[in-house]
Amino acid sequence: MSFAVATSLDDALAAMAAGARPIAGGTDLVVGSRQGKGALPDAIIAIDRLPELAAIEVGDDVTRIGAGVTHATLMTDATVVDQFSSIADAAALVGSPATRNVGTLGGNVMNGSPAMDTGAPLVVLGAEAELRSVDATRSVSLDELWTGPGSTSANADELCTALLIPNRPAASGSAYVRLEYRRAMEIAVVGAAAAVTLDGDTVSTVRVALTAVAPTILEVTGLDAVVGSTIDDAAVAAATAASEQATPISDLRASDAYRRHTIGVMARRAVDAAARRAMGETIAVPVNRALGVGAVA
Amino acid sequence: MAITDLPTFVRADGPDKVTGSGRYTADMTLTGMLAAKFRYAGVSHARITKLDVSAAKAIPGVFAVITADDVPDVRYSYGIADRTLFAKGVVRYDGEVLAAVAAISPEVAQRAVDAIVVEYDELPIVTDLEAAVADDSPLVHDDLDGYAITGDTPHHGNVGTHSSIEMGDPDAAMAAAHTVVSSRFVADASHAVPIEPRAVIAQWEGDKVTIWTSTQVPFDARNGVCETLEMPTTKVRVIVPHVGGGFGGKCGPHYEPHIAALARAAKRPCKLVFSRWEEFTAPDRRREGMIVDVTTGLDAEGNIVARTGELLLDNGAYMADSSFFAQAAAMHVAGPYTIPNVRIDAQLVYTNHQPSGSVRAPTAPQGCWAVESHTDELAAAIGMDPLDFRRRNIVRTGDVGPTGQTYEEIGLDRCLDMAAESAGWGTTELPDDEAFGISIGWWPSFHMPAGAYMKMHADGKVQVITGANECGTGSVMTLRMLAADELGLDQTDVELVYQDTAAAPDGPGASGSMTLFNHGRAVEKAAKEIAGQLRELAATKLEASAADIVLADGAASVAGTPTKSVPIVELAEAAAEGELLLGSGSTDELEWPEIKGSSCLGEQGFSSFMAPQFICHVARVRLDKDTGVARVLEVHAVHDSGTILNPVAAHGQVEGGILMGIGQALTEGTQYDETGSQRNAALLEYKLQTIADAPEIHTQFVEIHTPNAGPKGAKGLAEAPNVPTAGAISNAIAALIGRPVRQLPMTAERVWSTIAEEVTA
Amino acid sequence: MSTDINAIELTVNGVPYPVAIDTSRNLSGVLRNEIGLTGTKEGCDDCECGACMVLLDGQPINSCSYLAVQAQGREITTVEGLADGDELHPLQRNILATGGVQCGFCTPGMLMSAQALLDRNPDPSLEDIKIGLSGNLCRCTGYARILAAVDATAVELRGTSDS
Ligand SMILES: Cc1cc2nc3c(=O)[nH]c(=O)nc-3n(C[C@H](O)[C@H](O)[C@H](O)COP(=O)(O)OP(=O)(O)OC[C@H]3O[C@@H](n4cnc5c(N)ncnc54)[C@H](O)[C@@H]3O)c2cc1C
Ligand code: FES
Ligand code: FES
């Protein structure tokens, strides 16, 4: 087994072209190997010291969040907290301070777990993943990227360099809530992100995506119908649609029936919190803790 | 904050622990030491048709692989001697040890473990308690009567111990009752989860073995080695480095014999360190699952006139120290109430789960949760406030309890009143999604023989040599206070020599909240001996009568004449040249409280409670009704544990016990798959409460004069705080949703289903 | 089996240690076995208990699940590096004084998380402390005294830095 620390992006890409797997925080990769799920890859290239991956750049239309940005940064960065609050909500819930300190956005996305917390926020914000290899750079939609639990369509030599997020129109807000049995050190039983844009008192766009109720992050469809309705109506419609469209499994964390019920509750609360933010209300990150037990709205 | 108002008490082992210099067993290394690993059964019930270790032995770097064939053929355990060190013939739970490997590194040891070949004929797996007691159930043990059985241990089929408590005529009283309520509650198993996974090191010198281990009870560990490896007591020395928590989980002998046998075979010291997965699944120390069916009859005024109950407890595959569980559980389901007519029948049932064993107040949190939830149902049935209902029915000083024990001075009534007052029961306005719940409980103190030696050196410093074991509670530290007090010294003049079976007289170690109660009495006696010697010396020197000598502030003085005084160190100096200052003490037998008018089947020493401790907890809970997620915001705890000698340690025990209780109430349940294996043997899935979940805890002590108690009137304390918390939380949830959640833990999903049932009902 | 050994240098509490280790080795194991600093504890298999918490360039990490090779070139701080010679760090002193230490197995990890928190946020609310220590499980204390100790330390340290 070999290990090297990449000192430049090119370095990292070359190592990957030669077959190395990237390690950022290692909170999925190393932990996964310790749980006896499998050995570490034969060759590892550490990408955690690359400044190129650690930047958050606000462009005219798109904000570029480096794949190496840690959850600790995401939850406190002013741009993310103000503009893409749902990502900050999600990052603030990941693991413990130690997990957030080294765990990265790129690692979360590329690990491809249906329980990843930043996934649903990225979906509702319309993000794309920037993938780079020695030869090429391309952007893919997240829908295309995630192909199943723990699998992505990225080629083995492709590094995720950034997540590209369209800047938000005025009167917009987003939020992420998740069901938690305790107030820290949790894994999503279910979670929901919502992004809402308002036109006065009514909803002009709403997107909702769900965590841990399908093989990959699931975007709720058919919400066009709520355009023009009140926030409350939109929240209720999103809840119903979320419960209907979810295809949850039963496992040791919850039964399918309970997941189906609570995903509706999470969707309603996410839409509600997103709309309140869109109206200018300040709800601290993360919504879960700001609003109390079990994410009570 | 109140915490900083308490007098500071810096534990003698504290600096070691905060600087990282303190050694726990896993921190130790011996020259030539090998890594030990176990091969586990991996299936819950099967006959072994082949066990071949030859490939494992052939791996370079492997020094020994041992199985049942390599140790004496001894069956052992308390109550029913049903087990062997290594599986023999049949495996009965998946964490049963088949073989042990010693190798040059953990990696090589693991490869050897994987190279062991085992083949099985599968046997039917018994996991369901009700099915297990049916006549046609497959048996976990074919022939219990083929095992050596000790004590009053009625058994049959899969029932390991059948115990009952009975008084009066419950059938007639129930028939005549004004209101009768029947309830069923089902508690899942749970785990002790000390943060330190257990570790054992063994090293031989000639025919003697020294074992370093993270046990709570070094003498039990030693005796276990002696019994299973057929060795004399004098050839086995158990030393206990710092222990990273126990909670019962590290009581009894565990893997000390295995590692001793392995080290002998490998001719090298061997070290075992458990992973968290092993810590969950292998040891015989799981908190037992329980089914409680309880029926209570009330008269028109709301007095309890009769109670009957049927209990099934999941013993798992083998008897650890569990033979008393059935009777203990029966006592908790009877509860600290005046009930003239009682019959509670409890069966400890073998299954193919991991064995159950003492975990902090065994059987009590579950039994108490069931009966206290039932108590609120009783109060509701007659429209009475739960606090008033308890005030009417609890045992008070001079009352007769449910097995005919008459209580001398007890403080349960004051616990109830003070907890209610502290919480603002009935006066605090709560939002719609919050409620209070109240619960009471009890727990005995235990007498066990314990000894202490003591020596005072020429410099006036004292060493106490005790069999007590410090697993965190701080009660061993309190022993210094007791010795210092008798001798008129400061506690910093007293050092403890402890956790070494070769040095100290025997004792129960850190089990059953017995450190202070028993080791404390022995230390007091030993100190009194030296104090007597000092008084004689001082009397001669000061020309006074020994009876008039007072030992205080480092000096021996004549009572009433403080000018006639001599520093203790001077006496010690003189003694060092003459008759040495040595003391020893052993606990006096305490009389077991008498019971009258009751009869008990399967008597296991729990039908009456010695120096009983009483508790009342009030929990304030907030519930998210949409999801069923409950959060405990406050707990008001009042304890009658007799005299509190060390307030900081006492508060710490209560706070820790409450957090453990909240975990058991809401998030800590052992989940099994259909084959009897634990599904959630990891801390992300078996969820302890974090600091972010911790509520405000308001603790008070009722310090009354307790007859027949330990040193200075102290009773036990470490287990009691764990008893009533889940009951209090249950009653708060029931107050919010109109009915109790009938399964423990009361997970969010279970709360939600209970709400949903109500909607459809 | 990998035979790939890396000769690297790890800087722990300001002291450089040359070690030769396999790539797959976790940092806690190397600290405990090769370097001989056993204050860092191991209580689980996978990042769930916090007993192994150390600081990497001042920030907390679960050393049980961090590759030792990935820590080269960074400053590692363990519980052994907290005290100033024989002088206990205020966190150590206060956690003893309040009674926040029982079995002590969680204590090193707690102290490291607390140290990182106070470095990041010298004036934490009780809720900030709770979140800051939420990756450290303690089974003994019920946390109240640990919370009080960190709170008291924050007050104490602010007092000294103001003056
Ligand atoms: C205790 C604990 C709690 C956790 N709690 C949560 C939680 O609440 N919510 C949650 O979502 N997750 C949680 N996680 C999972 C994990 O922390 C996150 O997924 C984290 O974001 C992973 O980032 P990383 O940098 O550590 O990834 P790594 O482990 O370094 O990498 C993960 C995977 O992605 C690949 N990879 C990493 N970076 C890139 C890149 N730039 N391009 C291509 N491939 C890449 C790696 O090769 C690897 O396969 C938890 C983990 C632990 C240990
Ligand atoms: S040992 Fe690292 S988190 Fe438990
Ligand atoms: S003091 Fe024992 S785990 Fe915290």
Side-chain angles (χ1 to χ4, degrees), chain B residues 507-562:
Chain B
S511 65
S513 310
M514 288 192 279
T515 302
L516 195 51
F517 196 80
N518 294 305
H519 292 285
R521 286 186 292 137
V523 166
E524 271 190 331
K525 263 179 93 177
K528 281 196 165 78
E529 240 181 71
I530 294 187
Q533 289 171 277
L534 289 174
R535 282 199 190 91
E536 292 292 343
L537 290 171
T540 313
K541 185 145 191 147
L542 302 174
E543 295 172 352
S545 147
D548 290 338
I549 301 292
V550 181
L551 302 174
D553 302 325
S557 334
V558 180
T561 325

Side-chain angles (χ1 to χ4, degrees), chain A residues 34, chain B residues 683, chain C residues 28 41-53 62-65 135:
Chain A
R34 279 177 62 75
Chain B
L683 291 170
Chain C
S28 56
K41 303 301 180 204
E42 290 175 324
C44 69
D45 319 332
D46 37 27
C47 264
E48 300 167 338
C49 76
C52 63
M53 201 72 73
N62 294 107
S63 62
C64 69
S65 304

Side-chain angles (χ1 to χ4, degrees), chain A residues 1-3 23 25-26 29-30 33-34 40-41 44 46 49, chain C residues 8 10 21-28 30 56 61-72:
Chain A
M1 187 159 84
S2 75
F3 176 91
I23 186 169
L29 194 70
V30 181
S33 77
R34 279 177 62 75
L40 285 170
I44 298 180
R49 299 177 203 204
Chain C
I8 59 166
L10 293 176
I21 51 167
D22 193 278
T23 306
S24 62
R25 292 288 304 281
N26 60 352
L27 179 57
S28 56
V30 174
L56 195 63
I61 59 159
N62 294 107
S63 62
C64 69
S65 304
Y66 200 81
L67 296 180
V69 285
Q70 207 174 349
Q72 54 187 310

